[in-house]
Amino acid sequence: MANFCEYFKGIGVNEPLFSVLESIKKSVRLISEQIKKVDTGKAGTKNVYGEDQLALDVLADKIIQDEFKQNFLIGLIASEELPNEIKLGDGEYAVCYDPLDGSSLVDVNLAVGSIFGIYKANSFIGRTGREQVAAVIAIYGPRTTLLVTTGDGVVEFRLTDEPRFILSKKNIRIEEGKMFAPGNLRAVRERKDYLELVQWWMNEGYTLRYSGGMVPDVNQIFLKGKGIFAYPGYSECPQGKLRLLFECAPMAFLMEQAGGAASDGRMSILDQKVEHLEQRTPIYIGAKKEVKRCERKLGNWEMS
Ligand code: F6P
Ligand code: MG
């Protein structure tokens, strides 16, 4: 099987973009090593959303920043753990990232992940996810894997113990199939439309696969090649919880590249404009038919 370098050279990815992907790959390898041994306690600080940071959240962010600072092609970064975008230099690439998504699952030993969106830009504000030139998610589970797109389909790499990443799956495609991951179920207390949809999934015999971590929950849709992940809003959080720039847009780019879809209930996540870094959005992501069903059923909800 091809390694990271052979694969991207083989599909004609240009040298500068490959170099950015290399920096991401290196930081993922380092985070994966740390997760196995570092304490899972709190850092004693809060992030911009008022959430308690774990020592590991802070460490993962530092590992990525340190790696990116060594790459002069990366001129701008933004992290879910930091309040502002940071200019690193004149490099043409801008990388936004969620260093450790689902980090509250680390202490119970469930899978967590990192998410990266890569743009050519000098600010993330005003961009849409469609402008991404590449996106990557890393999954730290029993195995460490990467899903990558450079706009030419989606592939998976697996970290071996050498340690290096080898291509483990090519041409990842999403077809039809009955699997559901219904996030933010607390919304059914006041949203009859969501309650009815969940009941429909159950009546139709869909298999429930939900861990509470967006990265592993959406990763299984890629790998099983079917299903739907939903995270709607309700009165307390009309836009839900998940962040457009750091979480939803990179996932959506990967999903569309695998033949699936990602919507906020009305339009593609990739067409939403980033107005500010902390922007949140409802998301329905997975097989096209499933996303359409969510749009039909949930897209007209207005907060009463
Ligand atoms: O980053 C947010 C996150 O941890 C996602 O990975 C996950 O899908 C979601 O929160 C779970 O949210 P809640 O705690 O509301 O169930
Ligand atoms: Mg997150």
Side-chain angles (χ1 to χ4, degrees), residues 49 83 85 124-127 239 243-246 273-280:
Y49 310 92
E85 40 188 42
F124 293 101
I125 309 301
R127 307 273 73 77
Q239 296 304 309
R243 291 84 177 176
L244 173 62
L245 179 67
F246 302 110
K273 197 179 265 188
V274 177
E275 314 278 356
H276 55 94
L277 296 183
E278 314 87 68
Q279 196 167 327
R280 297 171 195 257

Side-chain angles (χ1 to χ4, degrees), residues 214 229 231 240-244 247-248 279-281 283:
M214 187 192 193
F229 170 94
Y231 200 108
K241 172 186 184 189
L242 300 171
R243 291 84 177 176
L244 173 62
E247 295 166 320
C248 298
Q279 196 167 327
R280 297 171 195 257
T281 178
I283 184 166

Side-chain angles (χ1 to χ4, degrees), residues 51 80 98 101-104 184 186 210 212-215 217 229 231 241-243 247:
E51 300 163 344
E80 195 185 282
D98 179 354
D101 179 63
S103 55
S104 67
N184 206 15
R186 48 182 94 75
Y210 185 75
M214 187 192 193
V215 171
D217 287 335
F229 170 94
Y231 200 108
K241 172 186 184 189
L242 300 171
R243 291 84 177 176
E247 295 166 320

Side-chain angles (χ1 to χ4, degrees), residues 61-62 64-66 68-69 71 73-91 93-97 121-125 245-246 277:
D61 187 55
K62 184 173 175 336
I64 295 170
Q65 272 197 55
D66 288 351
F68 287 1
K69 281 178 184 161
N71 189 335
L73 295 163
I74 303 176
L76 184 77
I77 58 171
S79 162
E80 195 185 282
E81 297 299 324
L82 301 171
N84 302 309
E85 40 188 42
I86 302 176
K87 190 157 171 51
L88 296 182
D90 296 326
Y93 287 97
V95 187
C96 56
Y97 59 93
N122 49 25
S123 172
F124 293 101
I125 309 301
L245 179 67
F246 302 110
L277 296 183

